[in-house]
Structures are given as C-alpha cells and as structure tokens.
PDB file of all heavy atoms in Angstrom:
ATOM      1  N   PRO A   1      47.562  97.178  86.167  1.00 95.00           N
ATOM      2  CA  PRO A   1      48.456  96.239  86.846  1.00 95.00           C
ATOM      3  C   PRO A   1      49.927  96.551  86.570  1.00 95.00           C
ATOM      4  O   PRO A   1      50.280  97.059  85.508  1.00 95.00           O
ATOM      5  CB  PRO A   1      48.074  94.880  86.250  1.00 95.00           C
ATOM      6  CG  PRO A   1      46.729  95.070  85.642  1.00 95.00           C
ATOM      7  CD  PRO A   1      46.663  96.499  85.216  1.00 95.00           C
ATOM      8  N   ARG A   2      50.781  96.230  87.534  1.00 96.00           N
ATOM      9  CA  ARG A   2      52.217  96.341  87.307  1.00 96.00           C
ATOM     10  C   ARG A   2      52.615  95.353  86.220  1.00 96.00           C
ATOM     11  O   ARG A   2      52.280  94.183  86.286  1.00 96.00           O
ATOM     12  CB  ARG A   2      52.972  96.021  88.603  1.00 96.00           C
ATOM     13  CG  ARG A   2      54.468  95.932  88.396  1.00 96.00           C
ATOM     14  CD  ARG A   2      55.282  95.832  89.669  1.00 96.00           C
ATOM     15  NE  ARG A   2      54.623  95.275  90.811  1.00 96.00           N
ATOM     16  CZ  ARG A   2      54.569  93.973  91.103  1.00 96.00           C
ATOM     17  NH1 ARG A   2      55.107  93.089  90.293  1.00 96.00           N
ATOM     18  NH2 ARG A   2      53.974  93.565  92.193  1.00 96.00           N
ATOM     19  N   PRO A   3      53.303  95.822  85.155  1.00 96.00           N
ATOM     20  CA  PRO A   3      53.711  94.912  84.080  1.00 96.00           C
ATOM     21  C   PRO A   3      54.562  93.756  84.603  1.00 96.00           C
ATOM     22  O   PRO A   3      55.314  93.906  85.581  1.00 96.00           O
ATOM     23  CB  PRO A   3      54.529  95.821  83.148  1.00 96.00           C
ATOM     24  CG  PRO A   3      54.010  97.196  83.412  1.00 96.00           C
ATOM     25  CD  PRO A   3      53.683  97.223  84.871  1.00 96.00           C
ATOM     26  N   ALA A   4      54.454  92.627  83.937  1.00 95.00           N
ATOM     27  CA  ALA A   4      55.176  91.429  84.372  1.00 95.00           C
ATOM     28  C   ALA A   4      56.688  91.616  84.341  1.00 95.00           C
ATOM     29  O   ALA A   4      57.425  90.913  85.039  1.00 95.00           O
ATOM     30  CB  ALA A   4      54.770  90.248  83.497  1.00 95.00           C
ATOM     31  N   THR A   5      57.151  92.569  83.519  1.00 95.00           N
ATOM     32  CA  THR A   5      58.594  92.816  83.406  1.00 95.00           C
ATOM     33  C   THR A   5      59.161  93.597  84.596  1.00 95.00           C
ATOM     34  O   THR A   5      60.381  93.706  84.734  1.00 95.00           O
ATOM     35  CB  THR A   5      58.903  93.597  82.119  1.00 95.00           C
ATOM     36  OG1 THR A   5      58.110  94.801  82.101  1.00 95.00           O
ATOM     37  CG2 THR A   5      58.581  92.760  80.884  1.00 95.00           C
ATOM     38  N   ILE A   6      58.283  94.118  85.445  1.00 97.00           N
ATOM     39  CA  ILE A   6      58.725  94.879  86.620  1.00 97.00           C
ATOM     40  C   ILE A   6      58.564  93.990  87.846  1.00 97.00           C
ATOM     41  O   ILE A   6      57.457  93.548  88.162  1.00 97.00           O
ATOM     42  CB  ILE A   6      57.894  96.163  86.796  1.00 97.00           C
ATOM     43  CG1 ILE A   6      58.035  97.067  85.571  1.00 97.00           C
ATOM     44  CG2 ILE A   6      58.310  96.905  88.064  1.00 97.00           C
ATOM     45  CD1 ILE A   6      57.158  98.306  85.631  1.00 97.00           C
ATOM     46  N   PRO A   7      59.635  93.724  88.583  1.00 97.00           N
ATOM     47  CA  PRO A   7      59.512  92.875  89.768  1.00 97.00           C
ATOM     48  C   PRO A   7      58.794  93.598  90.897  1.00 97.00           C
ATOM     49  O   PRO A   7      58.796  94.838  90.960  1.00 97.00           O
ATOM     50  CB  PRO A   7      60.966  92.581  90.141  1.00 97.00           C
ATOM     51  CG  PRO A   7      61.725  93.767  89.628  1.00 97.00           C
ATOM     52  CD  PRO A   7      61.024  94.183  88.357  1.00 97.00           C
ATOM     53  N   ALA A   8      58.177  92.854  91.793  1.00 98.00           N
ATOM     54  CA  ALA A   8      57.643  93.451  93.014  1.00 98.00           C
ATOM     55  C   ALA A   8      58.794  94.054  93.804  1.00 98.00           C
ATOM     56  O   ALA A   8      59.919  93.526  93.806  1.00 98.00           O
ATOM     57  CB  ALA A   8      56.924  92.397  93.840  1.00 98.00           C
ATOM     58  N   TRP A   9      58.523  95.179  94.466  1.00 98.00           N
ATOM     59  CA  TRP A   9      59.598  95.862  95.189  1.00 98.00           C
ATOM     60  C   TRP A   9      60.232  94.955  96.245  1.00 98.00           C
ATOM     61  O   TRP A   9      61.457  94.968  96.442  1.00 98.00           O
ATOM     62  CB  TRP A   9      59.058  97.130  95.847  1.00 98.00           C
ATOM     63  CG  TRP A   9      60.087  97.851  96.674  1.00 98.00           C
ATOM     64  CD1 TRP A   9      60.172  97.912  98.042  1.00 98.00           C
ATOM     65  CD2 TRP A   9      61.193  98.618  96.180  1.00 98.00           C
ATOM     66  NE1 TRP A   9      61.241  98.659  98.432  1.00 98.00           N
ATOM     67  CE2 TRP A   9      61.894  99.108  97.310  1.00 98.00           C
ATOM     68  CE3 TRP A   9      61.663  98.946  94.907  1.00 98.00           C
ATOM     69  CZ2 TRP A   9      63.038  99.905  97.203  1.00 98.00           C
ATOM     70  CZ3 TRP A   9      62.804  99.738  94.791  1.00 98.00           C
ATOM     71  CH2 TRP A   9      63.480 100.200  95.931  1.00 98.00           C
ATOM     72  N   ASN A  10      59.413  94.140  96.937  1.00 97.00           N
ATOM     73  CA  ASN A  10      59.975  93.329  98.017  1.00 97.00           C
ATOM     74  C   ASN A  10      60.868  92.198  97.519  1.00 97.00           C
ATOM     75  O   ASN A  10      61.547  91.541  98.328  1.00 97.00           O
ATOM     76  CB  ASN A  10      58.863  92.776  98.929  1.00 97.00           C
ATOM     77  CG  ASN A  10      57.866  91.902  98.179  1.00 97.00           C
ATOM     78  OD1 ASN A  10      58.118  91.488  97.053  1.00 97.00           O
ATOM     79  ND2 ASN A  10      56.725  91.632  98.807  1.00 97.00           N
ATOM     80  N   THR A  11      60.912  91.967  96.210  1.00 97.00           N
ATOM     81  CA  THR A  11      61.821  90.954  95.651  1.00 97.00           C
ATOM     82  C   THR A  11      63.011  91.594  94.937  1.00 97.00           C
ATOM     83  O   THR A  11      63.863  90.881  94.401  1.00 97.00           O
ATOM     84  CB  THR A  11      61.075  90.049  94.657  1.00 97.00           C
ATOM     85  OG1 THR A  11      60.700  90.804  93.490  1.00 97.00           O
ATOM     86  CG2 THR A  11      59.839  89.426  95.302  1.00 97.00           C
ATOM     87  N   THR A  12      63.048  92.939  94.929  1.00 96.00           N
ATOM     88  CA  THR A  12      64.067  93.649  94.167  1.00 96.00           C
ATOM     89  C   THR A  12      65.403  93.674  94.918  1.00 96.00           C
ATOM     90  O   THR A  12      65.442  93.860  96.145  1.00 96.00           O
ATOM     91  CB  THR A  12      63.609  95.093  93.904  1.00 96.00           C
ATOM     92  OG1 THR A  12      62.387  95.060  93.177  1.00 96.00           O
ATOM     93  CG2 THR A  12      64.644  95.866  93.101  1.00 96.00           C
ATOM     94  N   THR A  13      66.469  93.508  94.156  1.00 93.00           N
ATOM     95  CA  THR A  13      67.804  93.638  94.736  1.00 93.00           C
ATOM     96  C   THR A  13      68.357  95.043  94.464  1.00 93.00           C
ATOM     97  O   THR A  13      67.814  95.783  93.658  1.00 93.00           O
ATOM     98  CB  THR A  13      68.755  92.583  94.136  1.00 93.00           C
ATOM     99  OG1 THR A  13      68.812  92.758  92.710  1.00 93.00           O
ATOM    100  CG2 THR A  13      68.274  91.177  94.457  1.00 93.00           C
ATOM    101  N   ASP A  14      69.425  95.404  95.165  1.00 95.00           N
ATOM    102  CA  ASP A  14      70.083  96.700  95.004  1.00 95.00           C
ATOM    103  C   ASP A  14      69.102  97.855  95.224  1.00 95.00           C
ATOM    104  O   ASP A  14      69.053  98.825  94.463  1.00 95.00           O
ATOM    105  CB  ASP A  14      70.728  96.798  93.614  1.00 95.00           C
ATOM    106  CG  ASP A  14      71.843  97.832  93.555  1.00 95.00           C
ATOM    107  OD1 ASP A  14      72.185  98.387  94.622  1.00 95.00           O
ATOM    108  OD2 ASP A  14      72.350  98.094  92.452  1.00 95.00           O
ATOM    109  N   LYS A  15      68.335  97.736  96.294  1.00 97.00           N
ATOM    110  CA  LYS A  15      67.307  98.737  96.563  1.00 97.00           C
ATOM    111  C   LYS A  15      67.885 100.144  96.736  1.00 97.00           C
ATOM    112  O   LYS A  15      67.277 101.135  96.317  1.00 97.00           O
ATOM    113  CB  LYS A  15      66.502  98.347  97.809  1.00 97.00           C
ATOM    114  CG  LYS A  15      65.521  97.202  97.601  1.00 97.00           C
ATOM    115  CD  LYS A  15      64.663  97.006  98.855  1.00 97.00           C
ATOM    116  CE  LYS A  15      63.528  96.019  98.621  1.00 97.00           C
ATOM    117  NZ  LYS A  15      64.005  94.651  98.389  1.00 97.00           N
ATOM    118  N   ALA A  16      69.053 100.253  97.339  1.00 97.00           N
ATOM    119  CA  ALA A  16      69.622 101.594  97.584  1.00 97.00           C
ATOM    120  C   ALA A  16      69.854 102.335  96.272  1.00 97.00           C
ATOM    121  O   ALA A  16      69.627 103.551  96.181  1.00 97.00           O
ATOM    122  CB  ALA A  16      70.926 101.461  98.366  1.00 97.00           C
ATOM    123  N   ARG A  17      70.316 101.615  95.251  1.00 98.00           N
ATOM    124  CA  ARG A  17      70.540 102.252  93.951  1.00 98.00           C
ATOM    125  C   ARG A  17      69.221 102.687  93.334  1.00 98.00           C
ATOM    126  O   ARG A  17      69.123 103.790  92.775  1.00 98.00           O
ATOM    127  CB  ARG A  17      71.280 101.288  93.026  1.00 98.00           C
ATOM    128  CG  ARG A  17      71.583 101.867  91.648  1.00 98.00           C
ATOM    129  CD  ARG A  17      72.436 100.904  90.823  1.00 98.00           C
ATOM    130  NE  ARG A  17      72.622 101.353  89.443  1.00 98.00           N
ATOM    131  CZ  ARG A  17      73.526 102.247  89.050  1.00 98.00           C
ATOM    132  NH1 ARG A  17      74.330 102.783  89.955  1.00 98.00           N
ATOM    133  NH2 ARG A  17      73.627 102.615  87.781  1.00 98.00           N
ATOM    134  N   TRP A  18      68.207 101.850  93.434  1.00 98.00           N
ATOM    135  CA  TRP A  18      66.895 102.206  92.888  1.00 98.00           C
ATOM    136  C   TRP A  18      66.306 103.418  93.614  1.00 98.00           C
ATOM    137  O   TRP A  18      65.713 104.308  92.997  1.00 98.00           O
ATOM    138  CB  TRP A  18      65.942 101.021  92.977  1.00 98.00           C
ATOM    139  CG  TRP A  18      66.153  99.982  91.920  1.00 98.00           C
ATOM    140  CD1 TRP A  18      66.629  98.712  92.091  1.00 98.00           C
ATOM    141  CD2 TRP A  18      65.882 100.118  90.515  1.00 98.00           C
ATOM    142  NE1 TRP A  18      66.678  98.051  90.891  1.00 98.00           N
ATOM    143  CE2 TRP A  18      66.221  98.886  89.904  1.00 98.00           C
ATOM    144  CE3 TRP A  18      65.405 101.147  89.725  1.00 98.00           C
ATOM    145  CZ2 TRP A  18      66.093  98.670  88.536  1.00 98.00           C
ATOM    146  CZ3 TRP A  18      65.261 100.932  88.357  1.00 98.00           C
ATOM    147  CH2 TRP A  18      65.601  99.704  87.784  1.00 98.00           C
ATOM    148  N   VAL A  19      66.459 103.458  94.932  1.00 98.00           N
ATOM    149  CA  VAL A  19      65.958 104.594  95.708  1.00 98.00           C
ATOM    150  C   VAL A  19      66.665 105.875  95.275  1.00 98.00           C
ATOM    151  O   VAL A  19      66.032 106.923  95.088  1.00 98.00           O
ATOM    152  CB  VAL A  19      66.154 104.341  97.215  1.00 98.00           C
ATOM    153  CG1 VAL A  19      65.898 105.625  98.015  1.00 98.00           C
ATOM    154  CG2 VAL A  19      65.225 103.232  97.694  1.00 98.00           C
ATOM    155  N   ARG A  20      67.959 105.787  95.117  1.00 98.00           N
ATOM    156  CA  ARG A  20      68.741 106.964  94.713  1.00 98.00           C
ATOM    157  C   ARG A  20      68.269 107.489  93.364  1.00 98.00           C
ATOM    158  O   ARG A  20      68.137 108.705  93.164  1.00 98.00           O
ATOM    159  CB  ARG A  20      70.226 106.596  94.656  1.00 98.00           C
ATOM    160  CG  ARG A  20      71.162 107.719  94.203  1.00 98.00           C
ATOM    161  CD  ARG A  20      71.352 108.776  95.247  1.00 98.00           C
ATOM    162  NE  ARG A  20      72.250 109.825  94.768  1.00 98.00           N
ATOM    163  CZ  ARG A  20      72.663 110.850  95.501  1.00 98.00           C
ATOM    164  NH1 ARG A  20      72.287 110.973  96.762  1.00 98.00           N
ATOM    165  NH2 ARG A  20      73.479 111.763  94.986  1.00 98.00           N
ATOM    166  N   LYS A  21      68.008 106.593  92.425  1.00 98.00           N
ATOM    167  CA  LYS A  21      67.555 107.024  91.101  1.00 98.00           C
ATOM    168  C   LYS A  21      66.280 107.866  91.196  1.00 98.00           C
ATOM    169  O   LYS A  21      66.195 108.965  90.629  1.00 98.00           O
ATOM    170  CB  LYS A  21      67.314 105.810  90.199  1.00 98.00           C
ATOM    171  CG  LYS A  21      68.565 105.143  89.669  1.00 98.00           C
ATOM    172  CD  LYS A  21      68.191 104.040  88.688  1.00 98.00           C
ATOM    173  CE  LYS A  21      69.422 103.453  88.011  1.00 98.00           C
ATOM    174  NZ  LYS A  21      69.066 102.506  86.927  1.00 98.00           N
ATOM    175  N   MET A  22      65.296 107.362  91.913  1.00 98.00           N
ATOM    176  CA  MET A  22      64.034 108.094  91.971  1.00 98.00           C
ATOM    177  C   MET A  22      64.167 109.370  92.789  1.00 98.00           C
ATOM    178  O   MET A  22      63.514 110.383  92.477  1.00 98.00           O
ATOM    179  CB  MET A  22      62.927 107.200  92.551  1.00 98.00           C
ATOM    180  CG  MET A  22      61.534 107.815  92.474  1.00 98.00           C
ATOM    181  SD  MET A  22      61.029 108.195  90.764  1.00 98.00           S
ATOM    182  CE  MET A  22      59.534 109.150  91.049  1.00 98.00           C
ATOM    183  N   ALA A  23      65.012 109.363  93.796  1.00 98.00           N
ATOM    184  CA  ALA A  23      65.227 110.578  94.575  1.00 98.00           C
ATOM    185  C   ALA A  23      65.839 111.684  93.721  1.00 98.00           C
ATOM    186  O   ALA A  23      65.465 112.859  93.835  1.00 98.00           O
ATOM    187  CB  ALA A  23      66.115 110.273  95.781  1.00 98.00           C
ATOM    188  N   VAL A  24      66.780 111.327  92.844  1.00 98.00           N
ATOM    189  CA  VAL A  24      67.381 112.325  91.954  1.00 98.00           C
ATOM    190  C   VAL A  24      66.350 112.816  90.937  1.00 98.00           C
ATOM    191  O   VAL A  24      66.251 114.020  90.657  1.00 98.00           O
ATOM    192  CB  VAL A  24      68.625 111.754  91.248  1.00 98.00           C
ATOM    193  CG1 VAL A  24      69.205 112.790  90.287  1.00 98.00           C
ATOM    194  CG2 VAL A  24      69.681 111.331  92.258  1.00 98.00           C
ATOM    195  N   TYR A  25      65.567 111.883  90.391  1.00 98.00           N
ATOM    196  CA  TYR A  25      64.526 112.268  89.432  1.00 98.00           C
ATOM    197  C   TYR A  25      63.562 113.274  90.073  1.00 98.00           C
ATOM    198  O   TYR A  25      63.232 114.313  89.487  1.00 98.00           O
ATOM    199  CB  TYR A  25      63.784 111.017  88.968  1.00 98.00           C
ATOM    200  CG  TYR A  25      62.645 111.267  88.017  1.00 98.00           C
ATOM    201  CD1 TYR A  25      62.866 111.353  86.643  1.00 98.00           C
ATOM    202  CD2 TYR A  25      61.335 111.390  88.471  1.00 98.00           C
ATOM    203  CE1 TYR A  25      61.810 111.569  85.758  1.00 98.00           C
ATOM    204  CE2 TYR A  25      60.279 111.610  87.603  1.00 98.00           C
ATOM    205  CZ  TYR A  25      60.524 111.697  86.243  1.00 98.00           C
ATOM    206  OH  TYR A  25      59.478 111.912  85.384  1.00 98.00           O
ATOM    207  N   ALA A  26      63.110 112.979  91.283  1.00 98.00           N
ATOM    208  CA  ALA A  26      62.193 113.880  91.985  1.00 98.00           C
ATOM    209  C   ALA A  26      62.852 115.230  92.240  1.00 98.00           C
ATOM    210  O   ALA A  26      62.210 116.293  92.107  1.00 98.00           O
ATOM    211  CB  ALA A  26      61.751 113.247  93.305  1.00 98.00           C
TER     212      ALA A  26
END
C-alpha cells in the first residue's frame, strides 16, 4: 500500500514541480 505519509496524486499540489523532479531522475 501507498504509505499514509504520501498523498494521493489527485490531491497533490504543485504537480508541475513533482513531474519535473521525476523526469530529471529518469
């Protein structure tokens, strides 16, 4: 299960920043 400390993606704010982070990591 997704840990309780991680919000569901559809409730997350600042999605563009989060997307950028994973794109750079990849």
